[in-house]
Amino acid sequence: MVAEKLRLQEDRERIKHWKKWGPYLTERQWGTVREDYSPDGSAWENVTHDEARSKAYRWGEEGIGGISDYKQKLCLAWGFWNGKDPFIKERLYGVTGNQGNHGEDVKELYYYLDSTPTHSYMKMLYKYPQAEFPYKDLLEENLKRGKTDPEYELLDTGIFDQDEYFDIFIEYAKNDAEDIVATATIHNRGAEKAYICVMPTIWLRKTWFTGHEPFLPKLSKFNENTIRAFSPKSGNYTISFEGEPELKFCDNETNREKIYHIGNEKKFLKDAINDYVVDGDSKHINPENFGTKASAIYHLEIPPGESKTIKLRLMHQFSEDALSFCDDIMEKAKVEADEFYEELQERVTDPDLKRIQRQAYAGMMWSKQFYYYDVERWLEGDPGRYVPPISRKKGRNSNWKHLQNYDIISMPDKWEYPWYAAWDLAFHCIPIARIDPDFAKDQLLLLLNEWYMHPNGQIPAYEWNFSDVNPPVHAYAVQRVFQIDKKANGGKADYEFLERALHKLMLNFTWWVNQKDSDGQNIFEGGFLGLDNISVFDRSHAQRYQGKLEQADATSWMAMFSLNLLRISLDLCEHNKVYQFTATKFLEHFLYIAGAMNNISSEGISLWDDEDSFFYDVFHVPGKESKRMKVRSIVGLIPLFAVEPIREDLFNELPEFKQRLEFFLREKPKLAALVSSWIQPGFNRRRLFSLLRGHRMKSILHKMLDSEEFLSEYGIRSLSKYHLEHPYAMKISGDLLSVKYTPGESDTVMFGGNSNWRGPIWFPINFLIIESLKKFDFYYGGDFSIEYPTGSGRYMTMDIIAKELSYRCMKIFMRDEEGNRPVYGNIEKFQKDPHFKDYILFYEYFHGDSGLGLGASHQTGWTGLVAEMIHKYYKIREDKEHDSKTLFRS
């Protein structure tokens, strides 16, 4: 067994807590809802980037390339100063949601390059300019730009044009669970000698004001190059630094005078090290060399083209020779990380795809974060600190008082989205299950715990509004992770995980039925559903137009949810036959939803449009004729996701379930006729449950696989290109509303305008399309083919089309014939520079025509699904080489 797998086993069996330390610091705590104590909920303005260096946080800590223990008691991160900036660089800069022309956006260059699941080895790269960082230019230019302009990025300022910057490679290696070597290797890429101040910084999260700490934790100078850290709950640590740095101490306390213009309660303040390094001001540095924040300060002059390395080692017990073996520990960790990924990637033959996949996994591992949010305490405030306004009692998240989050959670992006998002997290867990199934399963169960899930059964959406509604994909992720884990374990299934999840998922299903089916007719009004601006108006507030929106996607998601729970129930029948009764329940839900989609409220209104052969939302206005909103978007593709092939022999093993099936065939023939027939066995004698029978499925695929509609060179678009020349418009309550194909960044302010569902390519939707096509192929097999692309005259089976769509998505990150990666468009430095071209950014979404990366630049979260696509691509290539040679290109 490779060393990393042994560590995972020891962590699982609680022999050794290998995951106690990890990259659990966020990259932006300022501007978050948790730190917002304003009367109007203006989180972006309540704690700003400029204030962050002077304000002690309440709920979490941030840093560059940092690590902490899993309760974030003790933190370690890196600070830098080029001698020209107005303050030290100890957090990443970006424009806020109100400053950016497309919402919040980090304005830095950094890359996650490697990480094992236990964080026994980690590596990232931060690129730091040698000239003064252009804070003012970035802010002013972004404020000037409008929605139709591109975002103004750090590279656009010209600060990297002459290569006058530092490449800072930050690495960590574990010799033991709490014996960690950290290094920063600083390369001068410029043509002249350059100065940099490097400050590895240790600090304690401020917990002592709550009254729960029996003794104040403390950092103190142990000797000339060692700091001792003491916490009543964590014990002693020593942090030894190579060489002879200056050790400077202060406290993790707010500079009240600077931020609030009132007298300081403490003498040694959070920004003291910044003031000392930048201005030589030591008035807030503790001369007695102790406190709750400390830095080892190195002043370096680096010749052109050369590098220097800073080393440190964190241990429980002090050792005189602590720094003697750092290089050996680091090298051993690298070798073991390579062994782990070599085994995982043994089928992947393309070196570039290996690199892309490994960096995708690295991004997902680096995006873990300690997330702390006790809503009731946040609403009420702490004694003597941050007294919230009265308005807060009825404001944001005030109906989530039960919610107590204090965990390591997979984040979408630790700068732009430094909070969990329920449907993002579900997708994260699928690729994560390949490298750490325990973490994937724990994450899925976490959101189902009673201190997360609302008593009414709702899963919390995200911290800006836990009550918003995301697509119900949690059950899909649970079932998918269960299967990945089962196969990896040689067929040994974790039924306890599946059973625990099912019981809570049934509560969530009931919430959907009770809350989002207002008429009890099995047609759902999910509202927002995380698809930001896909509709002509904000779907969460359809009542603004005195109407009600019946959503094809919400209803299809619920049909998918029903089939996911049906599948889970049938999987559990292998463990306990009693679950055939829950399978029956969800079979009935699925069939009634299928019926309702075709005859809403028994009024003869269908979400299916016979003229266009597509599914659309239906808008009801009292006293007026209901209207289909004919927007050709992924709303009409989502019915594809409600599909499940079932082994025929399973029916014979479950007599009660089979009996109920036969009852529906006999007594509910109209409902049975609406969905793919299970009377006729398909390939390998499978039966199929699906919202789509042959004609409708073919009609949807005809549009989806048409390059003039949904099919892009880089995957499936979120809106049909048809709307480029034919924008959809409707007049309602005096407003003229429209949707036009917009393949790039958003041109609307709806939901902040920081993402766009009106044309770009999104990985979660593409992944579900690919998975659904494979499920259809499980039933139809090689006897059923579809024209691909539409109009080409070429016909292929569904599994081959799924592979080709995977390849198109993967192609976003791969080098083309000219050596360029579509994700970087015409950015020459990213494409050709040897110090840039092999580092991959996993953006939030991608231009519908060019594949250019857009939105959040480090959302390895669900875009990390590309790692799973690569894994399956090579697995299927190996398994089915005979029928796929023409499509697979090296």
Side-chain angles (χ1 to χ4, degrees):
M1 183 184 292
V2 298
E4 179 62 12
K5 285 193 171 181
L6 181 60
R7 282 188 284 267
L8 286 166
Q9 182 178 319
E10 289 179 339
D11 192 83
R12 180 191 316 120
E13 296 172 359
R14 302 193 176 186
I15 296 169
K16 191 173 287 189
H17 196 174
W18 281 104
K19 297 177 188 173
K20 182 171 183 177
W21 284 81
Y24 306 143
L25 291 174
T26 183
E27 282 157 2
R28 178 176 62 80
Q29 187 69 11
W30 63 272
T32 59
V33 166
R34 282 156 288 157
E35 303 299 338
D36 175 22
Y37 284 79
S38 67
D40 57 358
S42 301
W44 283 115
E45 286 72 37
N46 189 244
V47 182
T48 67
H49 175 270
D50 191 51
E51 293 170 337
R53 66 180 176 275
S54 304
K55 187 179 181 68
Y57 292 124
R58 170 62 179 88
W59 298 99
E61 295 290 348
E62 66 198 0
I64 296 175
I67 62 171
S68 76
D69 62 276
Y70 75 118
K71 294 185 178 178
Q72 207 171 87
K73 300 292 187 182
L74 183 62
C75 308
L76 186 159
W78 298 84
F80 309 101
W81 188 56
N82 56 16
K84 298 168 185 172
D85 287 350
F87 43 82
I88 64 177
K89 177 70 70 172
E90 55 184 341
R91 61 188 48 78
L92 300 174
Y93 174 71
V95 293
T96 71
N98 301 321
Q99 294 168 344
N101 60 324
H102 296 111
E104 66 269 30
D105 188 36
V106 65
K107 301 299 182 183
E108 303 269 11
L109 285 173
Y110 59 105
Y111 305 86
Y112 305 121
L113 301 181
D114 212 352
S115 180
T116 58
T118 65
H119 313 296
S120 57
Y121 177 69
M122 298 195 299
K123 182 178 183 179
M124 74 165 286
L125 167 62
Y126 175 62
K127 291 179 176 284
Y128 184 37
Q130 292 170 6
E132 181 177 344
F133 196 89
Y135 293 106
K136 184 179 179 183
D137 182 26
L138 286 165
L139 175 58
E140 290 180 351
E141 183 60 31
N142 274 281
L143 285 169
K144 287 178 189 175
R145 297 195 175 194
K147 287 292 178 190
T148 57
D149 298 317
E151 294 173 354
Y152 187 61
E153 304 293 0
L154 181 58
L155 205 65
D156 299 326
T157 68
I159 204 164
F160 287 92
D161 287 355
Q162 304 304 315
D163 292 330
E164 295 174 345
Y165 68 92
F166 299 106
D167 264 344
I168 304 171
F169 290 92
I170 298 167
E171 294 177 272
Y172 295 93
K174 291 182 180 179
N175 188 47
D176 207 337
E178 296 197 85
D179 180 355
I180 304 170
V181 172
T183 66
T185 302
I186 304 98
H187 295 258
N188 178 2
R189 300 300 186 197
E192 304 289 339
K193 181 173 66 174
Y195 165 82
I196 184 172
C197 179
V198 180
M199 293 154 280
T201 301
I202 314 292
W203 73 101
L204 296 150
R205 181 167 61 86
K206 188 172 181 180
T207 59
W208 44 91
F209 61 84
T210 63
H212 296 302
E213 295 283 356
F215 302 100
L216 187 68
K218 180 181 178 181
L219 304 175
S220 58
K221 186 174 181 178
F222 181 76
N223 63 28
E224 291 307 308
N225 69 343
T226 301
I227 292 172
R228 171 166 282 172
F230 169 75
S231 165
K233 294 181 179 177
S234 303
N236 285 310
Y237 290 94
T238 61
I239 304 96
S240 298
F241 303 89
E242 187 179 50
E244 299 179 354
E246 290 183 83
L247 300 183
K248 294 297 178 181
F249 295 79
C250 59
D251 286 320
N252 187 13
E253 297 284 356
T254 298
N255 187 335
R256 292 157 59 99
E257 184 176 327
K258 177 181 177 182
I259 296 179
Y260 305 119
H261 310 294
I262 59 176
N264 281 315
E265 292 181 332
K266 307 291 184 180
K267 184 175 181 181
F268 310 116
L269 307 171
K270 180 179 177 180
D271 52 15
I273 293 166
N274 174 86
D275 295 349
Y276 173 75
V277 170
V278 176
D279 301 319
D281 181 356
S282 60
K283 67 182 178 183
H284 296 308
I285 295 287
N286 189 338
E288 297 184 24
N289 293 320
F290 70 87
T292 50
K293 179 181 178 182
S295 285
I297 302 171
Y298 294 84
H299 300 278
L300 306 178
E301 292 277 356
I302 305 180
E306 296 188 18
S307 67
K308 292 189 178 180
T309 299
I310 303 298
K311 301 174 186 176
L312 63 93
R313 188 171 176 183
L314 181 149
M315 308 170 70
H316 262 303
Q317 300 297 324
F318 174 73
S319 171
E320 289 284 354
D321 60 354
L323 297 164
S324 301
F325 307 102
C326 289
D327 292 344
D328 293 339
I329 293 168
M330 186 66 71
E331 187 58 33
K332 181 172 181 284
K334 288 180 185 179
V335 169
E336 291 175 351
D338 287 343
E339 289 172 349
F340 176 74
Y341 280 109
E342 281 168 10
E343 183 176 285
L344 181 77
Q345 297 179 311
E346 62 180 344
R347 289 190 176 100
V348 183
T349 56
D350 186 307
D352 196 38
L353 280 174
K354 276 190 174 183
R355 181 183 299 112
I356 293 163
Q357 186 185 49
R358 188 157 170 178
Q359 288 184 36
Y361 284 132
M364 304 197 81
M365 293 295 96
W366 271 93
S367 295
K368 294 179 184 179
Q369 179 186 319
F370 170 77
Y371 186 87
Y372 182 25
Y373 193 11
D374 183 328
V375 171
E376 186 169 28
R377 179 168 286 186
W378 178 77
L379 290 169
E380 294 177 356
D382 297 299
R385 176 184 167 100
Y386 295 156
V387 178
I390 296 298
S391 59
R392 192 185 193 89
K393 300 287 186 182
K394 295 183 179 179
R396 178 179 289 138
N397 296 329
S398 56
N399 62 334
W400 287 80
K401 292 180 182 177
H402 73 286
L403 189 138
Q404 292 179 298
N405 299 165
Y406 191 82
D407 296 284
I408 303 301
I409 307 180
S410 177
M411 298 291 138
D413 173 331
K414 290 202 293 187
W415 195 94
E416 189 157 332
Y417 302 98
W419 26 260
Y420 64 88
W423 84 303
D424 295 60
L425 184 141
F427 289 109
H428 301 181
C429 291
I430 294 168
I432 288 174
R434 292 287 172 195
I435 59 172
D436 190 355
D438 296 318
F439 182 71
K441 289 184 287 185
D442 289 345
Q443 290 290 286
L444 291 169
L445 292 175
L446 190 65
L447 264 64
L448 299 175
N449 283 332
E450 56 271 22
W451 53 92
Y452 278 75
M453 180 183 275
H454 198 281
N456 64 19
Q458 184 177 11
I459 293 174
Y462 52 93
E463 75 174 28
W464 288 88
N465 184 0
F466 286 124
S467 294
D468 249 339
V469 182
N470 288 162
V473 293
H474 214 81
Y476 164 77
V478 165
Q479 204 277 330
R480 196 74 184 79
V481 168
F482 169 78
Q483 291 293 347
I484 291 171
D485 181 51
K486 180 181 178 181
K487 191 166 187 178
N489 283 323
K492 183 180 178 183
D494 188 350
Y495 289 117
E496 181 181 343
F497 158 70
L498 198 61
E499 202 165 16
R500 279 184 61 189
L502 176 62
H503 292 173
K504 292 297 184 70
L505 287 166
M506 287 194 291
L507 295 177
N508 182 237
F509 186 90
T510 303
W511 175 83
W512 271 90
V513 169
N514 291 338
Q515 297 294 321
K516 296 300 173 181
D517 176 15
S518 59
D519 296 332
Q521 298 292 334
N522 294 295
I523 292 290
F524 294 83
E525 307 102 33
F528 165 55
L529 283 181
L531 304 181
D532 296 34
N533 42 37
I534 200 166
S535 182
V536 294
F537 56 75
D538 178 351
R539 301 194 299 176
S540 293
H541 298 97
Q543 66 272 19
R544 174 186 169 188
Y545 295 103
Q546 293 82 49
K548 185 177 70 170
L549 187 66
E550 310 285 19
Q551 291 180 221
D553 57 335
T555 306
S556 300
W557 285 121
M558 283 302 291
M560 173 184 166
F561 195 2
S562 300
L563 287 182
N564 294 150
L565 293 176
L566 167 65
R567 174 77 261 177
I568 290 172
S569 298
L570 292 176
D571 285 341
L572 282 170
C573 284
E574 296 179 21
H575 166 66
N576 186 341
K577 293 292 193 294
V578 74
Y579 283 103
Q580 63 187 303
F581 298 103
T582 58
T584 297
K585 170 184 170 58
F586 294 114
L587 167 66
E588 294 187 13
H589 273 290
F590 168 69
L591 290 170
Y592 285 126
I593 290 169
M597 289 182 74
N598 289 275
N599 188 10
I600 299 172
S601 303
S602 302
E603 296 175 8
I605 303 165
S606 175
L607 298 177
W608 175 260
D609 185 84
D610 284 319
E611 182 181 8
D612 291 354
S613 294
F614 206 67
F615 283 103
Y616 297 120
D617 289 349
V618 172
F619 190 66
H620 295 279
V621 178
K624 297 183 180 180
E625 186 178 353
S626 296
K627 181 178 179 62
R628 288 196 193 98
M629 299 171 66
K630 294 193 175 186
V631 180
R632 294 186 193 172
S633 73
I634 54 168
V635 164
L637 302 182
I638 290 172
L640 285 169
F641 304 163
V643 54
E644 195 63 53
I646 307 290
R647 299 189 335 264
E648 185 184 66
D649 59 338
L650 195 58
F651 299 136
N652 296 326
E653 295 169 10
L654 304 172
E656 286 83 358
F657 181 68
K658 183 180 180 181
Q659 183 180 356
R660 193 62 179 166
L661 266 178
E662 292 171 347
F663 170 82
F664 265 98
L665 288 173
R666 183 177 66 252
E667 301 294 334
K668 306 280 185 177
K670 290 183 179 179
L671 285 180
L674 291 172
V675 297
S676 292
S677 175
W678 51 74
I679 299 174
Q680 182 65 40
F683 182 67
N684 281 345
R685 302 197 65 79
R686 291 188 179 98
R687 306 299 178 103
L688 186 70
F689 297 111
S690 169
L691 277 181
L692 303 176
R693 292 177 66 90
H695 166 68
R696 291 188 178 182
M697 179 185 65
K698 290 178 182 178
S699 297
I700 288 175
L701 292 180
H702 181 82
K703 285 185 172 62
M704 188 183 83
L705 301 176
D706 186 342
S707 59
E708 295 303 312
E709 296 233 20
F710 288 96
L711 183 65
S712 161
E713 277 297 307
Y714 305 102
I716 300 300
R717 303 175 173 108
S718 49
L719 187 77
S720 171
K721 197 173 182 178
Y722 169 84
H723 290 303
L724 178 64
E725 300 296 332
H726 307 89
Y728 175 78
M730 66 179 291
K731 193 168 185 179
I732 179 170
S733 300
D735 294 339
L736 182 63
L737 307 172
S738 67
V739 171
K740 184 179 180 180
Y741 175 68
T742 310
E745 290 159 320
S746 175
D747 61 0
T748 173
V749 297
M750 195 184 298
F751 282 96
N754 61 332
S755 60
N756 181 23
W757 288 82
R758 296 183 174 186
I761 293 151
W762 291 79
F763 264 71
I765 298 300
N766 274 265
F767 186 77
L768 287 175
I769 289 169
I770 291 163
E771 292 281 287
S772 297
L773 290 175
K774 290 176 184 175
K775 287 185 177 182
F776 279 116
D777 186 72
F778 287 157
Y779 176 75
Y780 289 109
D783 296 333
F784 185 84
S785 58
I786 293 287
E787 189 180 25
Y788 173 84
T790 299
S792 67
R794 297 168 61 205
Y795 284 78
M796 299 181 184
T797 56
M798 305 264 250
D799 64 329
I800 301 299
I801 295 172
K803 296 172 208 170
E804 175 65 6
L805 292 180
S806 292
Y807 184 81
R808 289 186 182 226
C809 290
M810 290 154 53
K811 207 164 60 169
I812 289 172
F813 305 102
M814 297 166 64
R815 291 198 189 97
D816 62 17
E817 295 80 5
E818 297 175 358
N820 295 328
R821 303 181 192 277
V823 62
Y824 291 139
N826 61 1
I827 305 173
E828 187 73 10
K829 201 161 195 68
F830 283 1
Q831 298 287 17
K832 303 300 183 185
D833 191 305
H835 300 305
F836 283 82
K837 65 186 180 72
D838 286 333
Y839 304 133
I840 312 298
L841 292 175
F842 299 90
Y843 287 82
E844 184 180 5
Y845 57 99
F846 302 87
H847 193 284
D849 297 331
S850 70
L852 177 69
L854 299 168
S857 55
H858 290 75
Q859 197 158 347
T860 322
W862 61 21
T863 303
L865 286 163
V866 70
E868 180 67 5
M869 290 179 181
I870 293 169
H871 177 89
K872 298 290 287 198
Y873 171 81
Y874 273 93
K875 181 181 184 303
I876 297 170
R877 179 180 185 174
E878 182 178 276
D879 294 348
K880 304 184 81 173
E881 191 80 27
H882 64 281
D883 64 358
S884 57
K885 287 179 181 176
T886 59
L887 287 177
F888 288 114
R889 290 151 281 196
S890 331

